[in-house]
């Protein structure tokens, strides 16, 4: 016996929940990255090749 096929509503709901989870994960990662980068010294940031003023722009660029 096979399992019944999920309804259209169920498929849409699962798609929406996966998207929500993906956005939450990306937001959490961006906040963690922001905390780590803002906690670095100017010397450490220069070693990475970025300036302190570039940090928000870098994170926004990779947000989506």
């Amino acid at each position: 016996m096979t399992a019944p096929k999920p309804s259209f509503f169920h498929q849409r709901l699962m798609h929406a929940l996966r998207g929500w989870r993906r956005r939450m994960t990306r937001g959490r990662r961006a906040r963690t990255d922001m905390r780590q980068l803002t906690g670095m010294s100017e010397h450490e940031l220069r070693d990475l090749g970025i300036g302190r003023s570039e940090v928000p722009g870098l994170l926004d660029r990779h947000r989506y």
Side-chain angles (χ1 to χ4, degrees):
M1 185 165 187
T2 61
K5 185 178 176 185
S7 68
F8 178 72
F9 172 76
H10 183 259
Q11 291 173 355
R12 297 281 297 169
L13 177 63
M14 293 307 295
H15 179 74
L17 289 174
R18 285 186 195 109
W20 175 79
R21 185 174 65 183
R22 188 173 34 252
R23 287 188 302 276
M24 294 299 291
T25 302
R26 286 180 185 167
R28 189 177 308 120
R29 188 177 305 135
R31 287 188 299 276
T32 301
D33 292 346
M34 178 64 92
R35 272 194 301 275
Q36 289 177 344
L37 288 172
T38 56
M40 290 181 155
S41 68
E42 293 293 328
H43 180 76
E44 291 169 324
L45 289 173
R46 274 195 310 263
D47 284 346
L48 294 174
I50 58 175
R52 187 161 304 279
S53 63
E54 296 175 272
V55 171
L58 289 171
L59 294 175
D60 285 341
R61 186 178 331 146
H62 298 291
R63 189 175 199 170
Y64 300 103

